[in-house]
Amino acid sequence: MSNLKKTAIWITLLALILKLSGFLRESIIAREFGANDYTDGYLIAFSFITLVVAMISIGFNNVFLPLYVKHKEDSPAETERNANGIMNSTVALFLIITIAGFFLVPYFVPFLFGDMNPETEKVAVDITKIFFLFMSAIALNGILESYLQGRRIFVPSQISKLLATLMGAVFALLFSDTWGIYSLAYGFVFGTILGIIVQFFFLTRNGFKWMPTFKVDETFKKAFIVLIIPSLLNSVVGQINMFVNKIFASGTVGGAVTYLNNASLLISIPNAIYATTIAAIIFTLLSEQVNDQRKFQNTFFMGMEISLLTLMPIAAGLWVVGEEALSFIYERGKFTAGDTANTYTALVLYLPLIVTQGLQFIVSKSLYAQGKTGIVFRISVTTIVVNLILNFLLVDRYGYPALAVASSVVSVYYLVVSSVVVYKGFEGQEARKLWRLFSRAIPPTVLMVLPIYFLKKVDLVSNLYSLFQLAILVPIGVIIYTVALRFFYKEGFYRLLNMVKKKKAV
């Protein structure tokens, strides 16, 4: 468990750096290009990249990695040949997608996104064609991550992701005057190719040898094919919902896709970092304790408790200081105060996602640990239908903010339905413990929010630069919440404190 925690800490730190580099890129985009039809076009094109990355990094990885590790123990040489065959076949498939997609882009992008502004449509089509040219390279970059994980090598994959993100920012800084918004796409592609080189270097150092073969053992191939289809479908549900939101947003006002994107990036930070740590600790414990009902229930509650006690105050805090955070990150160059205000509108409506997605992570992982992957898939698919209906009913009347509302409602729906399934298998008092947890987490959060809300209104604070406001308000909020939690929920406070101490002790 000690090595697992060390790995979790390193991955958490790398995830934080990756997120910060993402904000550096978005800050540069805001300065160089603002929020307009051109940035909307770029973000629409980038949706195809996030879809492919999700398919490979989640869907492919969830199937390939266990098979690779399992078969490698019994027949390492044959498994390496099978792994090469799978990799080569997948890259070849994406080469076909590359060729077909490149010529079909001018037709399916306008079809999918409907009533776009002419400038948005042109940028979206042009950049999507650039991405499709290198789709096989993007897929290979994700596949190599699975191979590295199978050999317990984690850092090169994170470096690869950083390179793709940072090169987009660097190219925007250096070449925006020459290539405009297209510099972001060129930078991303360049960084991806560098990432492939880095990952291949570390793989070969670890003994990996590439083989020019498409041959895969029948047993390995059948197991892979049977599992890959539901895994791929499950991996892209969230991306499909985001895709749908961008389709609806592209038909509202110029910059709407950018406002939603920038707000969701800030919302995603807590869960991106938190989920990475939980994946290595809570999920492992749940998997180990699946046959011990009492321990499983206690670990599940511990995960829900940690999620709620850490994420609820973050969500409430962003309601108070979110506009200042957005202003510090984005408001410069062509990204105006009006753009910040529009992004903050979306941010406020996205805030429930911080809590619901954190809790959902624990709920879904408990179902995965119990082998109930089919149930997770069926529930997640229904979220696409709910999201579509809400977008259709609300967007014409309320514009792009309605899309943020729909996302939050869908997230609550997903959490409630999944939780009902989990608690059906638990003892009756477990559900009552969850309700008591909510009732005891709310008072410290409210006591934290009220003082910093009124302090923010004081001229001495409100007239300061956004970063200085954050430097004053955030520490005050943390101190108030810590003291209030100690007073209102002593047991939870000490359990959370012990969790932090254990991480530091590793």
Side-chain angles (χ1 to χ4, degrees), residues 23 29 63 94 145 170 208 214 219 250 266 327-328 365:
F23 274 111
I29 292 173
V63 174
F94 272 94
E145 180 180 350
V170 170
F208 173 82
F214 292 98
T219 303
S250 65
L266 187 56
S327 175
F328 170 66
K365 289 301 182 184

Side-chain angles (χ1 to χ4, degrees), residues 88-141:
N88 296 338
S89 300
T90 306
V91 173
L93 175 62
F94 272 94
L95 278 172
I96 296 171
I97 294 171
T98 291
I99 297 168
F102 179 79
F103 292 104
L104 293 175
V105 163
Y107 303 100
F108 71 74
V109 170
F111 174 76
L112 285 174
F113 289 91
D115 187 23
M116 291 184 286
N117 293 323
E119 294 86 355
T120 300
E121 182 175 328
K122 183 181 185 309
V123 171
V125 169
D126 290 346
I127 294 182
T128 303
K129 289 176 74 174
I130 295 170
F131 286 146
F132 263 86
L133 273 177
F134 295 92
M135 195 64 78
S136 54
I138 294 165
L140 176 60
N141 199 38

Side-chain angles (χ1 to χ4, degrees), residues 312-321 351 441-457 473 476-478 480-481 484:
M312 184 179 284
I314 291 174
L318 278 176
W319 174 66
V320 181
V321 301
L351 285 177
I442 291 172
T445 304
V446 174
L447 283 175
M448 175 199 75
V449 165
L450 290 177
I452 59 175
Y453 175 81
F454 288 109
L455 182 60
K456 179 183 168 183
K457 301 294 182 182
L473 298 173
I476 291 175
V478 170
I480 294 173
Y481 179 75

Side-chain angles (χ1 to χ4, degrees), residues 172-239:
L173 275 176
L174 298 178
F175 305 115
S176 60
D177 290 340
T178 305
W179 293 329
I181 196 76
Y182 298 92
S183 58
L184 292 165
Y186 298 139
F188 177 83
V189 169
F190 181 72
T192 298
I193 293 171
L194 287 180
I196 292 172
I197 295 170
V198 168
Q199 293 192 96
F200 252 124
F201 172 76
F202 280 94
L203 268 175
T204 52
R205 275 188 58 184
N206 195 254
F208 173 82
K209 293 182 180 179
W210 179 76
M211 306 174 195
T213 180
F214 292 98
K215 188 176 180 181
V216 179
D217 175 72
E218 282 299 317
T219 303
F220 194 98
K221 181 166 66 176
K222 285 181 180 178
F224 182 81
I225 292 173
V226 167
L227 294 171
I228 193 65
I229 295 174
S231 182
L232 287 176
L233 291 173
N234 202 26
S235 69
V236 300
V237 167
Q239 298 301 324

Side-chain angles (χ1 to χ4, degrees), residues 31 41 74 89 103 160 188 191 200 234 259 267-268 298 336 367 370 401 420:
R31 192 188 77 174
D74 301 325
S89 300
F103 292 104
S160 175
F188 177 83
F200 252 124
N234 202 26
Y259 300 145
I267 290 295
S268 70
N298 289 340
T336 66
L367 291 171
Q370 294 173 311
V420 169

Side-chain angles (χ1 to χ4, degrees), residues 27 35 75 142 174 188 206 212 214 242 246 300 305 369 374 398 421 502:
S27 178
S75 50
L174 298 178
F188 177 83
N206 195 254
F214 292 98
M242 292 173 60
K246 288 179 181 178
F300 177 84
E305 182 179 62
Y398 300 108
V421 174
K502 283 179 183 177

